[in-house]
Amino acid sequence: GAGVSQSPSNKVTEKGKDVELRCDPISGHTALYWYRQSLGQGLEFLIYFQGNSAPDKSGLPSDRFSAERTGGSVSTLTIQRTQQEDSAVYLCASSSHGTATYEQYFGPGTRLTVT
Amino acid sequence: AQSVSQHNHHVILSEAASLELGCNYSYGGTVNLFWYVQYPGQHLQLLLKYFSGDPLVKGIKGFEAEFIKSKFSFNLRKPSVQWSDTAEYFCAVNLNSGGYQKVTFGIGTKLQVIP
């Protein structure tokens, strides 16, 4: 079956502009995660959605970052007024609560470059 | 807050050498432990995981990891590495707390295997 998909694969934007990154999780997966991968920083947790529960936003670095998940499926990560330090690869992952294995399936990521 | 420490950020080995990558976590409760791998140009994928039972777990491609509860460690090992093991390796932990699936990742270890 299809894996996690993300779009766009690459995004170049000017400082100060807003960007939207999209994630399509595996069908039926109730949990969805956003991470940021920067050189030398490893994998930084941003936000976690679990079913209909309120999302865990504890990893969002500033109020310029927000995310939503519509209909328990597709998720959009929005970064407002982008800064150069926002340049990174943004990864989305999903997992199935039903199997209780908690294995995360990752998408290919969106490489964001802020000029 | 839970945290994960990976001690080696960059490891260079010759083929056939033995590998051990360190991972320690900071949470004292019941945890699930993972190692993920990211081969060059590919998605992050699960290498192995520990939930309960035998603390020595086997993963794909000859990798294994041992959970030592008293040391809060989950080190990754392979007796004889190959050039194809060149990749970045991430240790991860989540709380074994029912439906809550937030996962914390370590900073990653880049392994370079020289032919």
Side-chain angles (χ1 to χ4, degrees), chain A residues 8-15 17 19 21 79 82-90 110-115:
Chain A
S9 55
N10 279 285
K11 176 72 177 179
V12 180
T13 190
E14 292 180 353
K15 178 181 172 182
K17 295 283 179 69
V19 294
L21 311 179
I79 309 174
T82 51
Q83 304 293 313
Q84 287 185 330
E85 61 263 28
D86 299 334
S87 296
V89 176
Y90 289 82
T110 294
R111 182 175 296 279
L112 175 67
T113 304
V114 182
T115 61

Side-chain angles (χ1 to χ4, degrees), chain A residues 4 30-31 33 35 37 39-43 45 48 50 56 58 91 95-97 100-104 106-108, chain B residues 32 34 36 38 43-46 49 51 88 90 94-108 110:
Chain A
V4 178
T30 57
Y33 312 77
Y35 297 92
Q37 188 175 24
L39 197 61
Q41 298 296 318
L43 215 58
F45 166 79
Y48 156 52
Q50 174 61 64
D56 179 346
S58 59
L91 294 172
S95 68
S96 172
H97 174 58
T101 63
Y102 307 134
E103 174 180 353
Q104 295 188 33
F106 284 83
Chain B
N32 303 314
F34 309 83
Y36 283 83
Q38 187 171 30
H43 304 188
L44 268 160
Q45 59 185 283
L46 183 70
K49 63 189 177 200
F51 279 75
E88 190 160 15
F90 294 88
N94 82 333
L95 303 178
N96 190 337
S97 60
Y100 189 66
Q101 297 184 44
K102 178 182 172 181
V103 177
T104 301
F105 283 81
I107 198 168
K110 289 187 177 178

Side-chain angles (χ1 to χ4, degrees), chain B residues 46-63:
Chain B
L46 183 70
L47 194 57
L48 49 77
K49 63 189 177 200
Y50 171 82
F51 279 75
S52 63
D54 189 346
L56 183 63
V57 293
K58 308 282 188 183
I60 59 172
K61 303 187 179 184
F63 285 89

